[in-house]
Amino acid sequence: MILAQTRTYTTGSGPGPGPSSSSVLEYLAPCPDQVLENVLENVLWFLTSRKDRNAASLVCRSWYRVEALTRSDLFIGNCYAVSPKRATSRFTRIRSVTLKGRPRFADFNLMPPNWGAHLAPWVSAMALTYPWLEKVHLKRMSVTDDDLALLAESFSGFKELVLVCCDGFGTSGLAIVASRCRQLKVLDLIESEVSDDDVDWISYFPDTGTCLESLIFDCVECPIDFDALERLVANSPSLKKLRLNRHVSMGQLHRLMVQAPRLTHLGTGSFSPSEDVAQGEQGPDYVSAFAACKSIVCLSGFREIIPDYLPAINPVCANLTSLNFSYANVSAEHLKPIISNCHKLQIFWVLDSICDEGLQAVAATCKELRELRVFPFEAREDIEGPVSEVGLQAVSEGCRKLESILYFCQRMTNAAVVAMSKNCPDLVVFRLCIMGRHRPDHVTGEPMDEGFGAIVMNCKKLTRLAVSGLLTDRAFAYIGKYGKIVRTLSVAFAGDSDMGLKYVLEGCPRLQKLEIRDSPFGDAALLSGLHHYYNMRFLWMSACNLSNQGCQQIAQALPRLVVEVIKHEDNLDMDENVDTLYMYRSLEGPRDDVPRFVSIL
Amino acid sequence: MSPEDGSNLLESDAASVSFKETELTLGLPGESRGLALIEKTGGKRGFSETVDLNLGRSSTVDSDHKKYSGESETDVQNMAKPPAAKAQVVGWPPVRAYRKNAMKGCKYVKVAVDGAPYLRKVDLEMYSSYQQLLNALQDMFSCSSFTIRNYLNERAVTNQEVNNGVEYVPIYEDKDGDWMMLGDVPWKMFVESCKRLRLMKSSEAIGFAPRTPSKCSSSN
């Protein structure tokens, strides 16, 4: 039991009372263990890193206990790794919960819907044990309107709701959150699917004013009542981040910007005038509106952009650190005058419609760039494609501080990838998606082994890697040999034999998340990772060469591993081939919400 | 089918691909396609089975099936074009459904019918050919019986119960403000540039010569 600690101590080091001042004699001398726990509790409050806390909790029972009492942020990377009951029993003073559910490949229709990752059991448990809960961050979870209602009712001081890639709820759930959570500061909906229940959720925020600091709803596909939104913005003096959906026209955006010139993050909605604006009519002065917003550092939106309006953002370009054009079909010509002002840009998301030429312009100006994502306007395999090794090479030469890149293209060369590995030594995330399956270096005709090999060899800080193109086992040999701190690896249509997977499982001691599709890795390869699976968050393998027998062996050898075999709904008989294997460590054993297309071995 | 020139992607006439067109579907002909079906069937099968079952069906022009490639729907000569060079696979390239749908966008245009007091709106992104659009317009305005002169196939699309059918000609206003006949440009280009539609009475269409007279017989 922890004593109140308002007395001063003159000794702080070592167990035992030691020499002490007279003030200690004023109360019953605590035993050494309790002294230590007091000190520990004081100190551990300041420990925020998850890793440090986990380490601290392993020292001894006393430290385990105190750490559990002082942890306020609960992070659960796989909602099935631990049960709500176990988590809430151990950690009783949680203020913030982060939960992740489905595996990432589910985003690409590789998993049937209704697989799981339900929020319901979690919110029920937390409603009982965490009355002071303030923040909930969810990724790839299934959230219902009832869940949102329970959340809104159970936590009177609730401040922050962030839903990333979630689904299962609608505007009625949002309305409940808006009306009940009076302390709400953050409501961020990011790439989530929100069903249209015909409820005008924006109007459910209190008329008297809100504490909102961040309202992100650019993924909500339903139209909103603009007048209600305008009132909300006017009533939210703390609002700094506002990301509108595509149903907000430019004229409406203008009105909001006039109301909220102190915004730091702005999602611009459609960025095109509504239909009612006649052509040639004098529109609002967008340039002035942007000029008045001197604090904007992050711009996004542009969902239905009319490129003629793009120059309106010029006043803010010099201050921008983050720019998201990934829904804007703009050409290099449109981009160049804008990007040439963005000297401070650190994060840039864009469509390949800007072509290699646009990327060259980025490389010429954005010397501070840390993160680049180039998305395909047309995600097809059989076209020539507007970006290539030319763009990648240019970026590598111009943006030397690059840390993270996601690059979709149709053609690539080893030379450009090697160049990036040498020019950008700070790379932490390298994700190259050559959209044509098994496509080799289009100049030499060789596999892309050397390029990816150079990345793992030269980028000493690399922790996340996604490979593509024609790859032999050699590429995996490189990854196993040099990728010593790789934590996340994505593989698709790659490799020749079991050796490929073996190299990785035997060579990468820090591997946490491994997702593989359509690659010729079989049971022998799977078995070679037995020593490591308990150290991983998950392994996903779909359309590989696995059999039920091989997966059974794993399940038997590792009882704390949940081995899920996911079948297609119209193919439920257990034949020998495994369509999809998804396995993860868990303290709970097989989950109890398994749909009929999943069997747990 | 010749691979599309990469430069086509830049021009304003290259509207975003309807991803429903290019996605693997495991349904029977006539079933609704697109992501919904894929989610139902739960993705791809085995390693060796990554073929698109749409091959072979993609060559019909007048059908309601989504076209496999992005080629023009209006060119009757395209009927016998070969299937796409490479089969498409579920979940590849790995672009999130959310992003694909967002790129697909939503193209609502107003439709005015001469003589009718009300306007309707259609989402052009819901259709992948002129034929589909015209069929939908027919359904939409079916309370008044008329026939839409169909310049694509040089025959009228008729309403079953036509009594004294008044013939209408579909025209659209493009980005430049010009009024054009439907069917002159590839479907995607049309979607990109169409701002609104009008069903004009045939009798008023006399001076409205189509751009490509070779496609259509002279109006009667």
Side-chain angles (χ1 to χ4, degrees):
Chain A
M1 184 160 143
I2 309 295
L3 299 171
Q5 55 276 357
T6 50
R7 312 288 196 270
T8 53
Y9 294 93
T10 51
T11 62
S13 57
S20 50
S21 77
S22 57
S23 63
V24 176
L25 299 172
E26 289 177 73
Y27 62 101
L28 291 174
C31 72
D33 287 340
Q34 282 169 326
V35 168
L36 202 58
E37 279 199 15
N38 284 351
V39 172
L40 204 54
E41 190 180 352
N42 275 323
V43 167
L44 285 185
W45 276 117
F46 296 102
L47 211 59
T48 47
S49 146
R50 227 160 60 216
K51 268 203 185 129
D52 291 346
R53 283 196 158 269
N54 292 346
S57 70
L58 293 175
V59 169
C60 65
R61 277 223 180 106
S62 157
W63 282 56
Y64 178 94
R65 216 171 28 242
V66 177
E67 191 284 313
L69 284 170
T70 56
R71 190 183 291 227
S72 59
D73 301 332
L74 184 60
F75 174 88
I76 296 180
N78 175 3
C79 63
Y80 287 121
V82 65
S83 70
K85 183 154 187 284
R86 191 187 293 261
T88 54
S89 304
R90 176 173 168 186
F91 301 107
T92 53
R93 299 185 186 172
I94 296 292
R95 297 286 168 124
S96 150
V97 171
T98 301
L99 268 175
K100 296 190 180 182
R102 288 184 287 274
R104 200 180 72 96
F105 272 9
D107 290 353
F108 312 122
N109 296 334
L110 292 183
M111 185 181 254
N114 305 319
W115 169 82
H118 302 289
L119 180 63
W122 288 93
V123 71
S124 305
M126 296 191 303
L128 296 173
T129 50
Y130 300 150
W132 310 119
L133 191 67
E134 293 177 355
K135 303 184 190 180
V136 169
H137 291 219
L138 304 176
K139 188 166 188 180
R140 294 196 186 93
M141 298 284 297
S142 287
V143 179
T144 64
D145 291 332
D146 289 338
D147 297 334
L148 291 176
L150 185 56
L151 189 146
E153 280 160 26
S154 310
F155 310 117
S156 56
F158 194 72
K159 295 203 169 88
E160 201 169 304
L161 182 63
V162 177
L163 302 177
V164 181
C165 298
C166 295
D167 61 10
F169 63 101
T171 47
S172 39
L174 293 180
I176 301 176
V177 171
S179 66
R180 298 291 303 253
C181 301
R182 292 295 161 128
Q183 311 296 325
L184 197 67
K185 288 189 178 173
V186 173
L187 180 58
D188 290 350
L189 307 167
I190 297 168
E191 295 199 25
S192 293
E193 207 176 300
V194 182
S195 69
D196 188 354
D197 305 331
D198 246 343
V199 171
D200 177 23
W201 60 282
I202 293 274
S203 64
Y204 279 75
F205 282 100
D207 280 331
T208 46
T210 76
C211 342
L212 275 181
E213 294 173 10
S214 173
L215 179 62
I216 294 179
F217 65 97
D218 48 3
C219 65
V220 178
E221 287 297 301
C222 347
I224 46 129
D225 174 1
F226 180 72
D227 292 330
L229 179 61
E230 199 173 14
R231 274 197 305 277
L232 176 62
V233 171
N235 282 339
S236 304
S238 308
L239 197 64
K240 290 281 182 286
K241 300 185 188 183
L242 180 64
R243 301 225 291 243
L244 308 164
N245 70 9
R246 60 179 182 82
H247 292 278
V248 178
S249 70
M250 271 206 84
Q252 293 171 332
L253 170 68
H254 183 266
R255 280 161 66 176
L256 293 175
M257 288 177 74
V258 165
Q259 295 271 10
R262 274 183 290 275
L263 288 176
T264 57
H265 294 58
L266 177 63
T268 59
S270 69
F271 214 75
S272 70
S274 64
E275 292 170 11
D276 302 332
V277 173
Q279 275 189 330
E281 189 181 276
Q282 188 70 17
D285 186 353
Y286 297 114
V287 177
S288 295
F290 275 96
C293 291
K294 298 189 190 308
S295 309
I296 289 185
V297 292
C298 172
L299 267 188
S300 61
F302 310 104
R303 297 291 295 265
E304 285 158 17
I305 188 174
I306 307 277
D308 300 334
Y309 288 98
L310 199 46
I313 72 171
N314 267 322
V316 299
C317 285
N319 289 330
L320 280 184
T321 55
S322 172
L323 180 56
N324 184 347
F325 272 163
S326 66
Y327 295 101
N329 183 11
V330 296
S331 66
E333 288 316 301
H334 296 134
L335 180 73
K336 283 199 229 178
I338 304 291
I339 206 77
S340 61
N341 293 326
C342 298
H343 295 100
K344 288 194 189 164
L345 206 60
Q346 294 185 17
I347 299 174
F348 187 46
W349 291 22
V350 71
L351 281 181
D352 61 4
S353 56
I354 63 165
C355 299
D356 287 329
E357 195 187 336
L359 290 172
Q360 285 165 330
V362 173
T365 311
C366 305
K367 299 303 175 189
E368 297 300 315
L369 200 67
R370 303 289 196 271
E371 178 179 323
L372 175 68
R373 296 197 193 190
V374 181
F375 292 95
F377 178 63
E378 271 195 272
R380 290 167 52 161
E381 299 185 63
D382 50 352
I383 53 180
E384 170 129 330
V387 299
S388 69
E389 75 277 2
V390 172
L392 191 73
Q393 178 94 24
V395 168
S396 80
E397 287 165 8
C399 308
R400 296 298 175 110
K401 298 187 186 176
L402 202 64
E403 293 172 1
S404 171
I405 184 164
L406 170 63
Y407 196 90
F408 281 85
C409 60
Q410 300 288 0
R411 54 196 196 286
M412 185 49 58
T413 63
N414 280 305
V417 179
V418 171
M420 177 156 271
S421 77
K422 293 183 177 159
N423 291 334
C424 304
D426 292 337
L427 274 178
V428 175
V429 174
F430 185 80
R431 298 160 69 189
L432 176 62
C433 182
I434 302 169
M435 288 188 269
R437 287 168 282 151
H438 308 117
R439 197 158 284 177
D441 177 322
H442 81 99
V443 167
T444 66
E446 284 177 2
M448 293 300 300
D449 299 341
E450 297 307 311
F452 285 105
I455 290 286
V456 284
M457 220 188 310
N458 297 331
C459 301
K460 309 269 192 262
K461 303 181 188 176
L462 195 80
T463 58
R464 183 170 180 184
L465 180 65
V467 299
S468 61
L470 178 65
L471 293 170
T472 71
D473 287 343
R474 195 184 170 86
F476 297 99
Y478 283 133
I479 296 173
K481 184 167 181 194
Y482 296 106
K484 292 306 176 190
I485 58 169
V486 169
R487 286 173 33 113
T488 306
L489 180 62
S490 289
V491 178
F493 304 99
D496 301 320
S497 73
D498 284 345
M499 284 313 297
L501 181 53
K502 275 190 190 171
Y503 288 134
V504 169
L505 290 171
E506 287 166 5
C508 301
R510 297 285 171 89
L511 194 62
Q512 294 271 296
K513 302 182 246 181
L514 181 55
E515 45 189 30
I516 303 175
R517 65 168 291 180
D518 294 273
S519 300
F521 305 136
D523 297 339
L526 189 65
L527 287 165
S528 69
L530 276 173
H531 65 288
H532 188 62
Y533 293 136
Y534 277 157
N535 295 332
M536 290 178 65
R537 192 178 295 172
F538 72 81
L539 169 67
W540 167 290
M541 286 178 71
S542 58
C544 297
N545 287 348
L546 298 176
S547 75
N548 264 302
Q549 203 187 352
C551 297
Q552 275 288 1
Q553 280 184 275
I554 301 282
Q556 271 154 16
L558 300 174
R560 297 286 214 178
L561 213 60
V562 173
V563 180
E564 295 195 13
V565 171
I566 303 171
K567 288 259 163 202
H568 303 298
E569 278 187 303
D570 48 350
N571 181 24
L572 287 175
D573 37 276
M574 293 280 281
D575 62 0
E576 262 314 292
N577 285 330
V578 164
D579 296 327
T580 299
L581 167 70
Y582 178 56
M583 63 191 208
Y584 48 90
R585 65 186 169 192
S586 174
L587 294 172
E588 312 302 337
R591 54 190 174 107
D592 55 11
D593 59 357
V594 174
R596 63 193 184 100
F597 50 81
V598 172
S599 40
I600 298 188
L601 302 182
Chain B
M1 178 193 82
S2 58
E4 282 177 68
D5 191 322
S7 62
N8 275 349
L9 294 172
L10 306 176
E11 295 160 18
S12 59
D13 58 18
S16 52
V17 172
S18 167
F19 286 96
K20 285 181 192 162
E21 290 180 16
T22 57
E23 235 155 20
L24 172 71
T25 59
L26 300 176
L28 298 170
E31 261 187 297
S32 66
R33 308 230 172 268
L35 292 167
L37 185 60
I38 289 181
E39 283 177 286
K40 266 197 339 222
T41 54
K44 53 185 305 305
R45 293 187 174 275
F47 182 49
S48 55
E49 290 168 308
T50 59
V51 290
D52 175 37
L53 301 178
N54 253 341
L55 291 175
R57 274 191 232 122
S58 60
S59 48
T60 54
V61 170
D62 279 346
S63 70
D64 281 341
H65 300 166
K66 306 286 182 185
K67 289 301 289 299
Y68 193 77
S69 73
E71 296 291 287
S72 161
E73 250 75 19
T74 64
D75 189 356
V76 176
Q77 281 76 26
N78 274 343
M79 269 199 88
K81 73 167 122 47
K86 215 161 189 186
Q88 302 259 332
V89 161
V90 170
W92 188 263
V95 175
R96 284 210 190 108
Y98 170 72
R99 175 169 289 281
K100 280 190 193 172
N101 287 339
M103 291 319 308
K104 184 174 69 73
C106 195
K107 186 68 197 271
Y108 273 103
V109 294
K110 292 179 184 162
V111 185
V113 178
D114 282 0
Y118 52 87
L119 290 182
R120 297 291 292 271
K121 267 188 170 180
V122 290
D123 176 7
L124 293 180
E125 295 280 356
M126 300 259 313
Y127 314 104
S128 55
S129 70
Y130 284 108
Q131 193 60 53
Q132 286 184 16
L133 173 63
L134 292 175
N135 289 345
L137 289 176
Q138 186 76 37
D139 289 341
M140 201 177 290
F141 294 99
S142 59
C143 48
S144 51
S145 49
F146 55 68
T147 65
I148 299 176
R149 186 67 174 275
N150 185 332
Y151 282 95
L152 304 178
N153 297 327
E154 303 168 20
R155 60 177 174 76
V157 173
T158 51
N159 185 326
Q160 299 276 22
E161 314 143 10
V162 89
N163 293 328
N164 49 336
V166 180
E167 207 173 70
Y168 286 85
V169 168
I171 58 176
Y172 72 99
E173 185 183 4
D174 73 1
K175 273 183 179 163
D176 303 322
D178 300 323
W179 286 92
M180 323 276 279
M181 294 285 209
L182 258 68
D184 282 348
V185 300
W187 170 254
K188 285 222 200 45
M189 200 185 290
F190 161 72
V191 171
E192 180 69 18
S193 59
C194 171
K195 282 174 43 190
R196 53 187 157 143
L197 284 166
R198 181 178 156 201
L199 298 180
M200 188 169 64
K201 284 197 184 133
S202 267
S203 50
E204 291 180 40
I206 292 170
F208 221 109
R211 256 221 202 122
T212 50
S214 54
K215 274 198 186 137
C216 316
S217 56
S218 53
S219 48
N220 11 336

